[in-house]
Amino acid sequence: MNGVHIRSAERALNVGTWLIVCGAMLYSILTVTPLMSAHTPERWGWTAPILPLVVDAAVVIVVRLDSVLARLGGHGGRWPVALRWMTGTMTLALNTADSALKKDLVGVAVHSVAPLLLIVTAETGLAYRRAITAAATALEVRQRAEREAAEQAARERAEAARREAREEREHAAALAREQREHEARLVAEAAEREERRRREEREERAAREHAERVERERREREREQREREREHAERQAAQRAENERRERAEARQREQHEREERAARERAALLERGPAAGKLPEDEARAIVNAGYEAGLSVRAAADLCGWSVGWVSTRYAELRDPGHGGAELAIAGR
């Protein structure tokens, strides 16, 4: 048996004991409460469950503390024994009292099962726990002895291993000396081979650098040729762009000249119409005033051509001379 088996046995004992205790407590409360209700004044009937609860609480305390003391290997003395038997006897008496008063022997036997089972379980559980504690203590002592023996064997093995390691180090030192001498010879040979290899690499590098220099010069010549071609192409493109710009400027000048000529013809046509027979529409009158202003006509002459008043034409002339303020100033002066 090992520690796992002991813990499993303790767990089974605890679970079984508490199942019996809880069942006996529930059965005792359900059995004793009616008896206490029958022998308690009516106004205090609500206190009937208190007594069975108190007795069962004492049972729980006894079982719990006995289990702790048994696990620690201690003994509580005579008072725990007296309390255990007193609570068991009280539980038995309370559970069988109602049947005994009715002289019902079968009821007495039936209601004594749970209290007797509780009493015997408490005593048996205590004995089991003490036995398990003793067994666990013996197992711990045996395991401690086994651990000490294993540690002693481990120390002996470690000492033997250290002795073997020391011998191996001495042998390894001898081999290392031979190895160093052999490596020294190999290093000298390797140095000679390395020197020969570096000399060959220098020759190869010099040849490669010469080939790279020739290739670089060739690429430089090609690059310069491409640069010259590119500059020539850029100059041609710039010349074409300049020609196009000049052509666009000339076209704009021609268009501007044509617009000016067309505007002059339109102004001449407006001015050649002669004095108006009446007041022309405002849009047409404004066009005639603009044409007269551009042609340098007097305010009176422009007023005759459009049929509007001299003041109105003067205001339009002032607006044309000073678009921001001229019209407003003339309007204020006219007032």
Side-chain angles (χ1 to χ4, degrees):
M1 179 176 290
N2 54 25
V4 176
H5 295 149
I6 292 175
R7 286 191 297 273
S8 177
E10 287 183 340
R11 188 162 49 251
L13 178 60
N14 288 331
V15 172
T17 301
W18 285 112
L19 283 176
I20 294 172
V21 169
C22 292
M25 287 176 60
L26 180 60
Y27 187 78
S28 176
I29 292 172
L30 295 177
T31 302
V32 177
T33 299
L35 175 65
M36 296 305 301
S37 298
H39 293 81
T40 302
E42 184 176 354
R43 59 179 297 188
W44 297 102
W46 58 273
T47 63
I50 294 178
L51 181 60
L53 283 175
V54 171
V55 175
D56 293 335
V59 174
V60 171
I61 292 172
V62 170
V63 172
R64 179 59 182 164
L65 292 181
D66 282 345
S67 65
V68 173
L69 286 174
R71 187 69 182 88
L72 296 175
H75 192 278
R78 293 175 297 174
W79 285 107
V81 176
L83 179 61
R84 187 166 59 249
W85 279 96
M86 185 177 69
T87 54
T89 304
M90 288 179 180
T91 302
L92 177 63
L94 290 172
N95 277 270
T96 59
D98 189 47
S99 299
L101 292 175
K102 296 177 181 179
K103 300 187 183 302
D104 183 5
L105 297 180
V106 176
V108 171
V110 170
H111 287 92
S112 63
V113 172
L116 291 175
L117 183 61
L118 181 61
I119 295 171
V120 175
T121 299
E123 293 296 331
T124 306
L126 181 60
Y128 276 139
R129 287 189 181 89
R130 288 174 179 170
I132 289 173
T133 301
T137 303
L139 178 62
E140 185 177 354
V141 172
R142 185 170 64 254
Q143 289 177 347
R144 187 183 303 112
E146 291 175 355
R147 283 196 301 272
E148 292 176 355
E151 291 173 357
Q152 180 63 28
R155 285 194 294 271
E156 293 176 356
R157 287 194 300 271
E159 181 63 26
R162 285 194 294 272
R163 186 168 54 254
E164 292 177 359
R166 184 170 58 253
E167 294 174 355
E168 289 178 358
R169 285 195 299 273
E170 293 174 354
H171 179 66
L175 292 177
R177 285 193 298 273
E178 296 177 359
Q179 183 68 22
R180 284 195 296 273
E181 294 173 356
H182 178 66
E183 289 177 354
R185 289 192 300 271
L186 293 178
V187 167
E189 295 174 358
E192 184 180 354
R193 288 194 300 272
E194 181 66 20
E195 180 62 25
R196 185 168 56 252
R197 184 184 62 79
R198 283 199 294 269
R199 185 170 59 254
E200 293 173 355
E201 287 181 352
R202 285 194 297 272
E203 294 174 356
E204 291 177 359
R205 186 166 55 252
R208 187 168 57 253
E209 289 176 353
H210 176 71
E212 290 177 353
R213 185 169 57 256
V214 172
E215 178 65 19
R216 188 165 55 252
E217 291 175 354
R218 184 184 63 79
R219 287 199 299 269
E220 184 66 23
R221 289 193 298 272
E222 292 178 353
R223 185 183 64 78
E224 292 176 355
Q225 180 65 25
R226 288 195 299 271
E227 286 291 332
R228 287 193 295 272
E229 292 175 355
R230 183 178 60 79
E231 291 175 357
H232 179 67
E234 289 178 353
R235 283 195 299 271
Q236 290 180 348
Q239 184 65 32
R240 287 195 298 271
E242 180 62 24
N243 294 335
E244 292 176 357
R245 186 184 61 77
R246 189 180 302 110
E247 292 175 357
R248 287 196 297 271
E250 293 175 355
R252 285 195 299 271
Q253 290 177 358
R254 285 195 299 272
E255 291 177 358
Q256 180 67 22
H257 183 66
E258 291 175 357
R259 284 197 299 271
E260 291 177 354
E261 290 180 350
R262 187 167 54 254
R265 286 195 300 271
E266 291 175 355
R267 286 194 300 272
L270 290 173
L271 297 176
E272 289 173 357
R273 295 171 60 178
K279 191 175 183 180
L280 297 177
E282 184 177 356
D283 294 338
E284 189 175 352
R286 282 180 178 274
I288 292 172
V289 170
N290 291 339
Y293 178 79
E294 294 292 336
L297 292 180
S298 64
V299 174
R300 173 61 64 183
D304 292 338
L305 291 174
C306 68
W308 286 66
S309 65
V310 174
W312 185 83
V313 175
S314 297
T315 302
R316 304 289 83 75
Y317 268 40
E319 290 177 353
L320 293 171
R321 283 194 299 271
D322 189 2
H325 303 285
E329 291 174 354
L330 284 175
I332 294 171
R335 292 179 185 172

